[in-house]
Amino acid sequence: LLYTIKFEMAVTYQFKRRVLLLFVALIIILYYFVSTGNGSRNLEQELRDTESLAEGTSELPPPTGNPPSQEWIKEQYRHLVASLGYHYTPPNRWKQCRNSRNTLYFPKLNTVFTGVPKSGCTNWYETLLLAEGVLKSRVEEPRSIIHSQYVMPYRILALQNTVISPHFSFAVVRNPWTRIVSAYESKLGPGKPIPTAIYKYVRLTRENAGEITNEADELQPTFEEFLRFLIAFKGGSNYHFRPETDTLCLRVAEYDAIIPLEYASVVASHIWERLNAPVALPTSYDESQDPRTQRSTLKAKEWFAKLAPNLISDVYKLFKPDFMLMNYTNFTDPNFPMPA
């Protein structure tokens, strides 16, 4: 009898334990579907939800047709830094910027500039060198001078015992969708050498799909393959392909100004007045001065519209901080690629 009672108690315990585990599992599943909108939230909804400022901060959308104010941008910047879990405290510590090869110090102008690849940084390099008095005229490729003399590692060596306290600091950013298209075309277009990591990824992907029959097969990555590479390797090691917020000195500094490339032609004059520089930025590389009708914009609309929604969503998640920084529009927006 005692054995029977113990057996029944054990069975009852096991049954209750299983019921409890099943109940917990159902709660977890229910919570997942509620929090993700039954798992079917589209990119548009996600962009609307994540691009707005967090509750408790002032939401100040810039006026239609006008560049966003620097006060609004700084509010966005601070929210982004907090959302990424960084803990910036003044003063700025430019020498500690981990992406120092993209951050430059111009001593005569007493100015710090972070050049985000594929955001017009070559134009800015050239113009700053002219204002610094290093160049007498525009050159085709100013980066050799920039990277040998003005990037932070070299300036730190030259100014070991000097605190870098610039009169002015700024950076330029761009809508991620057009920036991705520009990076693909300039670095992976026809006739361009393919970076080793991308070459290996494309070859392995096509071999697994049975699409490669011999070593001579063309391995120029398609736009979709490029995007899948970015997702698989978090943008890789090339800063042309990485999120632009990886290049900014988010952890150690606040910029005096962050300029959306889409409004650079409007804002640039104020920058040069601040620097007291007797030069101006050249016009856009594109024939159209309106960012909404430029080649990279039109191609972004066309190319992304052909992709699967889940792939677009994965790309968006990788570049989500970039969208948040300037509240950038999606490629389906009539005002694309401007900040919202």
Side-chain angles (χ1 to χ4, degrees):
L1 178 61
L2 182 61
Y3 175 79
T4 302
I5 292 172
K6 287 182 177 179
F7 176 76
E8 289 178 351
M9 288 176 65
V11 170
T12 302
Y13 170 76
Q14 290 293 333
F15 176 75
K16 288 182 177 179
R17 184 171 178 271
R18 289 178 181 176
V19 170
L20 179 61
L21 289 173
L22 180 61
F23 178 74
V24 171
L26 287 172
I27 292 294
I28 293 172
I29 293 171
L30 180 63
Y31 174 79
Y32 172 80
F33 277 98
V34 170
S35 64
T36 59
N38 294 326
S40 60
R41 297 180 66 184
N42 59 29
L43 176 64
E44 290 283 351
Q45 183 63 49
E46 188 169 7
L47 281 171
R48 283 196 293 273
D49 288 350
T50 57
E51 288 179 22
S52 60
L53 292 176
E55 187 176 350
T57 62
S58 57
E59 189 167 355
L60 304 171
T64 303
N66 295 322
S69 69
Q70 286 303 316
E71 290 75 18
W72 180 85
I73 291 173
K74 285 181 179 180
E75 191 72 30
Q76 293 286 101
Y77 186 90
R78 289 164 187 159
H79 169 61
L80 174 62
V81 169
S83 69
L84 293 174
Y86 301 156
H87 303 286
Y88 164 77
T89 54
N92 291 334
R93 301 179 300 281
W94 295 108
K95 290 183 179 181
Q96 296 177 25
C97 183
R98 67 190 183 110
N99 303 313
S100 56
R101 287 200 64 80
N102 295 91
T103 297
L104 307 104
Y105 178 60
F106 297 88
K108 291 181 182 178
L109 295 172
N110 196 18
T111 295
V112 165
F113 170 66
T114 296
V116 176
K118 305 315 303 173
S119 293
C121 63
T122 301
N123 265 349
W124 292 92
Y125 289 160
E126 194 176 63
T127 306
L128 286 164
L129 287 173
L130 283 166
E132 184 81 357
V134 175
L135 295 180
K136 300 301 180 184
S137 60
R138 295 197 177 276
V139 295
E140 191 69 30
E141 184 50 77
R143 279 176 286 195
S144 59
I145 302 172
I146 286 291
H147 291 299
S148 65
Q149 298 179 45
Y150 289 91
V151 293
M152 277 295 181
Y154 294 102
R155 299 313 305 163
I156 290 171
L157 286 174
L159 305 168
Q160 287 185 22
N161 300 317
T162 303
V163 175
I164 294 179
S165 181
H167 163 70
F168 186 64
S169 60
F170 73 107
V172 182
V173 296
R174 183 181 188 180
N175 188 304
W177 295 135
T178 54
R179 182 170 173 263
I180 290 168
V181 168
S182 179
Y184 173 77
E185 286 201 298
S186 67
K187 298 300 176 183
L188 300 173
K192 302 286 185 180
I194 307 171
T196 302
I198 297 180
Y199 176 89
K200 289 181 178 179
Y201 175 81
V202 171
R203 173 164 286 281
L204 181 62
T205 301
R206 294 185 188 179
E207 283 177 348
N208 290 340
E211 297 175 0
I212 290 182
T213 55
N214 58 66
E215 290 292 325
D217 281 347
E218 177 63 49
L219 286 180
Q220 199 74 31
T222 65
F223 185 59
E224 181 173 337
E225 287 173 329
F226 170 61
L227 295 180
R228 294 192 182 280
F229 168 83
L230 295 183
I231 294 165
F233 294 93
K234 308 298 182 186
S237 59
N238 189 325
Y239 275 88
H240 289 83
F241 306 147
R242 294 177 65 85
E244 51 202 329
T245 42
D246 285 358
T247 300
L248 299 176
C249 300
L250 296 174
R251 297 172 186 265
V252 296
E254 268 194 5
Y255 295 89
D256 292 309
I258 298 181
I259 303 169
L261 180 66
E262 295 76 17
Y263 283 112
S265 60
V266 179
V267 179
S269 59
H270 301 297
I271 298 297
W272 301 129
E273 287 174 11
R274 181 81 179 264
L275 296 177
N276 194 26
V279 292
L281 275 174
T283 56
S284 169
Y285 290 127
D286 200 284
E287 292 179 1
S288 172
Q289 295 300 303
D290 186 344
R292 292 169 294 184
T293 57
Q294 290 177 349
R295 287 179 64 256
S296 58
T297 300
L298 301 178
K299 285 197 173 184
K301 285 183 174 182
E302 177 189 352
W303 292 0
F304 281 105
K306 295 176 181 178
L307 300 174
N310 62 332
L311 176 58
I312 295 172
S313 181
D314 287 342
V315 176
Y316 165 69
K317 289 173 185 174
L318 176 61
F319 291 89
K320 185 175 176 179
D322 295 358
F323 284 103
M324 292 176 64
L325 175 59
M326 207 58 69
N327 198 22
Y328 270 122
T329 49
N330 192 22
F331 61 87
T332 55
D333 192 291
N335 212 33
F336 171 75
M338 315 303 282

